[in-house]
Amino acid sequence: NKSEKTAPIVEFVDLHGQVALKIIKHCQDSMQAVTGVLLGLDVETTLEVTSCFPSLLPEENEDIDPDNYQLEMMKCLQVVNVDSYMVGWYQSALFSSFLNDTFVETQYEHQEKLQKCVCIVYDPLLSSQGNLCLKAFRLTDQFMKFYRKREFSKQALKEAKLCSFNVYEEIPVRIHNTNLITGALLNLEQYAKQRSSMKYDLLEFSSATFLEKNVEYIIEGVDDLNSELNRLNHYQRLVNRQKMQQDIFLQKRKQENKARAESSLPLLTDEDLENNPLFKPIPEPNRLDPLLISNQILTHCKQLSEISGQSLYKVYMVNGLNTDSQ
């Protein structure tokens, strides 16, 4: 029973090849970040994504309600016998810079309505390096409980036991095709072998642009994290100063009550302290932003390691070919 309670809700995302191509085309055709809706089936611990359609851009929905548009699209798909059950949404992100307040709020709203819900993120720039960068994410149950309270203080983070490693979880994506499409692809492969010419694009060593961009994002993230740290230090200084002023005020109040007692005068009560500015709590800075920034830095570090590893593999391969040729 204990293992069933801790078992993941979604273990795999089965993505149809046609849906993957639609997502890739939609993200690559637009010069800005785009989003869309994922439709499919919920089969036990697997989400099967069988269809999708793009969402309206901000400049396109001036006269159209996005919610009504989404409902009308799902009704139209249902009429033509296409799966109309919503299983999540997708978005494009350059260098996987997707973890921000908008992503968290959108995914939180989806998971509140649909417990088994994922977000598929496609990175067109990293995919151009030769590896398809198409990943599925969902917020952890631990983070959902924390975000539901809308209290982002230090104590709330401590009680939730949150860190940069357990904000979201990545769900494995499996791309597959129907038997009919697989047969067609095999025929196209045989035809392509007869007319294909050697391509050396995948042996391109130049990955400096991607490495440089990831380093820039890491530096920006560290600067943002440093700004959050300075804001926290400023808050701590204000709290310490207020505590010192409160101690001085209470010491004076104690001495004054002592003098009033000796003069047989009524003692001053603590009821007026609520209206005293010295005893008003200082607003604590938001701790959610540093958490998201730390997680985004971690994501860029992982990408930096992956890209560097791929470049090293190519160098070792070429060195091996040169050794064999000599």
Side-chain angles (χ1 to χ4, degrees), residues 221-243:
V222 172
D223 290 340
D224 294 338
L225 202 59
N226 188 45
S227 300
E228 295 292 336
L229 180 60
N230 292 334
R231 192 176 293 110
L232 181 61
N233 291 335
H234 178 67
Y235 163 76
Q236 196 65 42
R237 286 194 298 268
L238 291 178
V239 170
N240 293 335
R241 185 185 307 168
Q242 186 187 51
K243 183 68 170 58

Side-chain angles (χ1 to χ4, degrees), residues 16-249:
H16 283 209
Q18 185 179 6
V19 179
L21 291 176
K22 286 182 179 179
I23 295 175
I24 293 172
K25 186 176 186 304
H26 182 208
C27 296
Q28 289 184 345
D29 289 347
S30 178
M31 299 299 294
Q32 56 181 318
V34 295
T35 60
V37 179
L38 300 176
L39 304 174
L41 301 172
D42 174 13
V43 184
E44 296 181 352
T45 59
T46 301
L47 281 182
E48 187 173 352
V49 184
T50 59
S51 181
C52 69
F53 62 87
S55 299
L56 292 176
L57 294 174
E59 59 270 14
E60 295 177 348
N61 60 359
E62 295 179 357
D63 301 328
I64 304 176
D65 185 9
D67 295 334
N68 291 335
Y69 164 78
Q70 181 175 320
L71 291 175
E72 289 297 326
M73 283 293 297
M74 295 171 69
K75 289 180 181 178
C76 293
L77 292 174
Q78 190 175 11
V79 169
V80 295
N81 200 23
V82 176
D83 294 328
S84 58
Y85 178 72
M86 184 176 178
V87 294
W89 60 294
Y90 70 86
Q91 72 166 4
S92 61
L94 300 180
F95 296 98
S96 296
S97 299
F98 65 92
L99 192 61
N100 49 37
D101 295 336
T102 304
F103 169 82
V104 171
E105 182 65 29
T106 305
Q107 182 62 21
Y108 171 79
E109 292 177 356
H110 280 79
Q111 285 188 213
E112 281 289 275
K113 298 175 183 177
L114 302 169
Q115 194 173 17
K116 294 182 180 181
C117 174
V118 297
C119 175
I120 292 181
V121 179
Y122 173 71
D123 193 327
L125 290 181
L126 291 180
S127 298
S128 64
Q129 287 290 95
N131 291 329
L132 179 62
C133 188
L134 196 67
K135 300 180 180 180
F137 301 98
R138 69 188 309 272
L139 299 176
T140 61
D141 295 336
Q142 192 174 356
F143 183 82
M144 288 289 293
K145 293 178 182 178
F146 163 76
Y147 197 81
R148 192 175 292 119
K149 297 178 181 178
R150 302 288 178 170
E151 183 182 352
F152 309 131
S153 61
K154 176 184 177 181
Q155 187 63 27
L157 275 176
K158 185 178 180 181
E159 293 176 356
K161 297 180 180 179
L162 277 176
C163 62
S164 58
F165 296 96
N166 54 5
V167 174
Y168 66 86
E169 57 182 344
E170 182 177 351
I171 311 298
V173 177
R174 302 183 298 194
I175 299 179
H176 65 91
N177 297 307
T178 62
N179 295 332
L180 184 61
I181 295 179
T182 302
L185 290 175
L186 289 175
N187 290 332
L188 290 175
E189 184 181 4
Q190 296 296 329
Y191 177 75
K193 286 181 179 179
Q194 301 174 1
R195 303 187 57 183
S196 64
S197 58
M198 294 297 293
K199 295 182 179 180
Y200 301 96
D201 295 342
L202 297 180
L203 296 178
E204 179 65 40
F205 292 147
S206 179
S207 57
T209 303
F210 298 92
L211 294 175
E212 181 180 342
K213 211 60 179 167
N214 272 283
V215 171
E216 288 181 2
Y217 281 125
I218 291 174
I219 293 174
E220 290 179 3
V222 172
D223 290 340
D224 294 338
L225 202 59
N226 188 45
S227 300
E228 295 292 336
L229 180 60
N230 292 334
R231 192 176 293 110
L232 181 61
N233 291 335
H234 178 67
Y235 163 76
Q236 196 65 42
R237 286 194 298 268
L238 291 178
V239 170
N240 293 335
R241 185 185 307 168
Q242 186 187 51
K243 183 68 170 58
M244 187 182 302
Q245 293 174 350
Q246 289 175 356
D247 293 340
I248 295 173
F249 180 85

